[in-house]
Structure formats: C-alpha cells, structure tokens
Amino acid sequence: MTDQAQEGTARSGPREPDQAQVRKAVAASAMGNCIEWFDFGVLGFMVATMGAQFFPAENSFFVWEGKEAVLAMLAVTFLVRPLGAAVFGPLGDKLGRQKILALTIIIMSGSTFLIGLLPSHGTIGALAPILLVSLRLIQGFSAGGEYGGAATFIAEYAPDKKRGFLGSWLEFGTLTGFLLGAGSVTVLTISLGEHAMESWGWRIPFLLAGPLGMVGLYLRTKLEDTPIFQEIEAKHEVDKAPFKDLMTNHWQGILHLIGIVVLLNVADWVLLGYIETYLKDTLKLTGDFPLLVVVLVILGMMAVIIPVGKLSDRIGRKPLLMVSCAGFILLPIPMFSLMGQDNPVTLVIGLTVIGLLLVPLLATIPAVLPAMFPTQVRYGAFSIGYNTSTMLFAGTAPLIISQLVKSTGDPMVPAYYLVGAGLIAAVPILLLPETAGMSLRNVVRSTQAPLPATALGR
C-alpha cells in the first residue's frame, strides 16, 4: 500500500471525538428538544388562555371553541410532522446532520417567537386563529426533522459504552424545556395575576423562544458533523437517494420503530401535554396546585433520568424498556384511581408513579432507535418512523382523551389509553435486539444490504 493510500485510509477510518466535542454535541442537540418542548409546555399550561385569545365562543369559523379548539390545533399541526421528517431526514442523510439541525432550530424557535407577536381574535377576528394555526404548522414541519436528527447526532458522537448515558441528556432537554415552559407560565400567572396574563402576559413565554433559539443555533453552528457521517463522506458512501433507499429497503425497521414509540408518544402527551387540563377540568382542581404538582413530578423525573440512562449502558436497554412497558400495562388504572380520590397525597403518588414509568422510555429511546438503521439512512428512517407514530398517537391523544372523557363521563379514560398503548408496544419491544455497547459502525457493516453503485455516487 502506498503512503498516499495509507493516509487516505487513516483519514477515513474511525475517529473518536474528544470529550469537549462530545459535550458540545450533546448540549447542541438537547437545546433543540428543549425549545420544542418549551413550546409544548407553554401551550399545555395555557390551553384556556390561548383558547380565549384565539378561539372564543363567539367565533363560528371553527368547529371547536376554547380549550377544545387549542387541543384540536395541536392534533392538526402534528399532521405535517411526517412531511417535515420526509424532507429534513433524507436531507440530513445526504447533506449532513449539522446543516439540517441548524436549519430546523431556526424555523422552530422563529415560529414560536412569532406566536407571541400575533394579534388576538378580538383585534383581527378569524384571521388570528388562521395565523396561529399556520405558525403551528410551520413549527410542526420543522419539528419533524428535529428529534430524529438530534438523537442521531448524539448517538453518532457518543462512545459506544456511553450512548445510553449521553442519549438520556436529549430527553433531559425535553423535560427541561417543558419545565421552563410550564414554569414560566406558572410564575407569570402567580406574579402578574390572571387578568394581566390573559391580557398581555401570555405573550412573554412565546417571545422567550427567540433568545433560546439563538443560543441553540450558536451551539450547532460551532460543531463539525458527526465523525461517522464524515467517515462515509470520505469513503464516498453517502447515499444520493436516501429516501428511496429507506422506503425500499428499511420499511420493516420503520414499522418496528413506530410500534415501539407508540407507548412513548402516548405517555409523553398524557403526562406532559394533557394532564394539567385533566386535573382542572376532570378532577376539578383549582388554583395553582395543578401547575405546581406537575412541575414537582417533572423535577423528580429530571433527577433520575440521567442515572437511568447510565444504567442502560450497564444492564442493557431492553430490560428497562420491558419494565416500563409492563408498568404501563399494570399500573395506570390503580394510579388514576388514586389521583381521583380528592386527596393531594394520593394525587401526587399516582402522578409520580406514572412519571417514573415514563423515565426508562425517555432515557433509553435516544440510544435504541439510531441503532436500528445504518448510517446512510439513519436520520431519515428514524425521523419518518418516529414522526409517523407521533402524528398518529401523540398529538391526537389529548383531543381524543378529552372527547372520550366528556362523552362517557369516565375519568379513567387516560388510564385505559395508557394500558392500550402498553399492550401495542409490548410485541415490538420484545422483538427488539439488544444494542447496548454495539458500535453504530457495525450497523452499516452487518445489517445494511450493499447499496448500488449509482446510489452511492461511485
């Protein structure tokens, strides 16, 4: 072998980033998730306020009004997430993860910021909810390329034996964002009062997304692309038609992924996107207590999620996923029964158990899902599968559950919904191979069928 060939091989061989680069990659990735869930936290804790501002009772333009209209808007905007995934995911496989993640964070934070500037229905009539839904559609479109790319970015930067630990920081960002969103609403409501909050204070949390997005953009533009993606670039193995390849050769893996994250999406949105409305409307709790108890549970989840992620590197991802799945099959009904006893202590216990059951899912999924696909289609396959499941089961959950509770009068509907999601996810989780400690480079070598020379641009 010539010196030039040896040099080329060295350049294209495995290159491990230093710890400082890994920390920056984790922070940059988690920041986007933080912004996305900051927005959800704000909306989730201001459902009544946003309903009054944009979907008042006298508005006959939309089918729903008030709170139900806001929940319907959340469900509708999830329809565009798979479209965003189909656009941004394959672009991330073709052009690189870093470029696309910088773009998605600009669009996400910018659309959230602009919501804070919108005139209300009282000012411009039916145009106000139209503009709100339009910005939410833009935000949902960009979010379709965010989570899959962020998880891929961390996974491809992380050392093999620390992928669970480092990946769990992505969902720490989720909880942090939701806590910041919910917390900002709580603090503003207490300090400003409900009248000022409904008049102008509701804008402040949305405007905060602007500076958060600038911080995230700065972090992402200061990083190189992942070492694994740079390797396939150096070897000219970047797929020139990743969307066609993933839909042709990896559709079974995408379906498997959809089945696994059904439970994650439903549990996420029952706990984070709907529970505050449930506590107020169904359990008839008043004052600031519903806000404070949810914040307390989220703080507890944040305290344990990183240790659980680290544990998955030691004992494997699959045992933790199975424990969580079994828990969601067995425990939601007794826990929601405790929550409905009109006792603050039993309420906190029931909600805390549901939150802790969600933690193993949150902590392990960012490490599990990237290992299901080879590098050439990882971003796209992950994003399309994840966001298809999100469209079908996540954004629709608050609306469907609230409608079922209203029509049946049964406060246990959220529990039944969680049990159903656990039963659906049980089979794909059982079929999942253990990937703890496995190199993502080995996914390319062992599970990917050889791509045609034209696809690789050779």
Side-chain angles (χ1 to χ4, degrees):
M1 183 180 290
T2 64
D3 292 342
Q4 184 177 5
Q6 289 176 336
E7 182 182 353
T9 301
R11 283 200 305 267
S12 63
R15 179 182 63 83
E16 295 297 336
D18 59 40
Q19 291 186 1
Q21 289 176 306
V22 172
R23 286 195 294 268
K24 290 177 182 177
V26 171
S29 301
M31 193 64 187
N33 228 34
C34 178
I35 292 170
E36 179 183 357
W37 280 90
F38 174 85
D39 173 78
F40 291 142
V42 170
L43 275 176
F45 275 57
M46 287 203 301
V47 171
T49 301
M50 296 299 289
Q53 292 293 325
F54 291 92
F55 304 97
E58 63 270 19
N59 177 24
S60 60
F61 189 79
F62 289 90
V63 176
W64 286 291
E65 61 187 40
K67 294 180 179 180
E68 290 182 347
V70 175
L71 295 178
M73 177 190 69
L74 282 171
V76 169
T77 54
F78 271 77
L79 295 176
V80 299
R81 287 178 71 116
L83 180 60
V87 172
F88 290 120
L91 281 176
D93 287 321
K94 187 175 181 179
L95 304 178
R97 288 74 162 105
Q98 185 266 348
K99 296 182 180 69
I100 303 305
L101 285 172
L103 179 60
T104 58
I105 201 168
I106 294 173
I107 300 174
M108 272 201 323
S109 59
S111 56
T112 302
F113 176 81
L114 289 175
I115 290 175
L117 301 177
L118 286 179
S120 67
H121 185 277
T123 304
I124 59 173
L127 184 58
I130 292 173
L131 291 173
L132 175 63
V133 172
S134 298
L135 287 173
R136 289 294 305 167
L137 287 171
I138 294 170
Q139 201 267 0
F141 181 81
S142 61
E146 173 60 34
Y147 185 79
T152 296
F153 201 78
I154 290 180
E156 291 184 350
Y157 254 103
D160 298 332
K161 295 183 179 180
K162 293 185 177 181
R163 193 174 301 121
F165 166 66
L166 294 172
S168 63
W169 284 99
L170 182 62
E171 292 294 352
F172 186 87
T174 293
L175 296 174
T176 300
F178 190 87
L179 183 65
L180 289 174
S184 65
V185 172
T186 302
V187 170
L188 287 168
T189 301
I190 294 173
S191 59
L192 297 178
E194 291 188 5
H195 178 73
M197 195 67 182
E198 291 175 0
S199 176
W200 56 270
W202 65 268
R203 299 180 182 277
I204 297 174
F206 292 107
L207 297 176
L208 292 175
L212 286 175
M214 295 304 294
V215 173
L217 178 63
Y218 173 81
L219 291 172
R220 290 184 175 183
T221 54
K222 293 299 180 181
L223 280 169
E224 295 182 356
D225 220 317
T226 69
I228 293 179
F229 185 81
Q230 290 186 60
E231 288 173 20
I232 66 168
E233 273 191 318
K235 297 175 182 178
H236 305 289
E237 292 179 349
V238 174
D239 196 333
K240 299 301 180 182
F243 181 79
K244 179 181 178 181
D245 179 39
L246 68 89
M247 296 305 293
T248 302
N249 299 317
H250 301 282
W251 61 270
Q252 290 176 312
I254 292 173
L255 290 177
H256 193 177
L257 185 152
I258 289 173
I260 293 171
V261 298
V262 165
L263 178 56
L264 173 69
N265 281 320
V266 170
D268 245 353
W269 278 89
V270 168
L271 183 65
L272 302 182
Y274 172 70
I275 199 66
E276 192 265 347
T277 299
Y278 176 79
L279 295 178
K280 288 185 174 180
D281 291 356
T282 304
L283 300 187
K284 306 302 181 183
L285 299 180
T286 58
D288 300 320
F289 182 70
L291 301 174
L292 295 175
V293 71
V294 175
V295 168
L296 179 65
V297 171
I298 294 172
L299 285 171
M301 294 170 66
M302 292 174 66
V304 299
I305 190 169
I306 302 303
V308 172
K310 192 172 184 178
L311 179 65
S312 77
D313 288 321
R314 294 180 55 194
I315 68 171
R317 330 290 188 209
K318 193 169 179 178
L320 293 172
L321 291 175
M322 292 174 66
V323 166
S324 182
C325 186
F328 274 115
I329 293 172
L330 298 173
L331 296 178
I333 292 175
M335 291 306 107
F336 272 82
S337 296
L338 283 178
M339 290 165 59
Q341 290 184 3
D342 196 24
N343 184 318
V345 175
T346 58
L347 171 63
V348 172
I349 292 173
L351 197 56
T352 299
V353 170
I354 297 296
L356 292 178
L357 287 177
L358 178 57
V359 168
L361 285 170
L362 293 174
T364 56
I365 284 294
V368 169
L369 302 187
M372 295 179 68
F373 303 99
T375 304
Q376 282 82 353
V377 298
R378 181 172 292 131
Y379 193 157
F382 185 141
S383 296
I384 290 173
Y386 181 85
N387 285 286
T388 299
S389 181
T390 299
M391 175 191 69
L392 295 173
F393 304 106
T396 58
L399 178 63
I400 291 174
I401 293 172
S402 66
Q403 292 295 302
L404 288 174
V405 170
K406 184 177 180 180
S407 62
T408 65
D410 188 350
M412 297 298 292
V413 168
Y416 305 148
Y417 214 81
L418 287 169
V419 171
L423 291 171
I424 292 172
V427 173
I429 287 175
L430 286 172
L431 294 175
L432 184 73
E434 181 58 69
T435 59
M438 182 186 73
S439 172
L440 293 186
R441 295 181 178 92
N442 290 340
V443 182
V444 177
R445 298 188 185 101
S446 62
T447 64
Q448 180 193 5
L451 294 171
T454 53
L456 296 176
R458 289 173 179 165

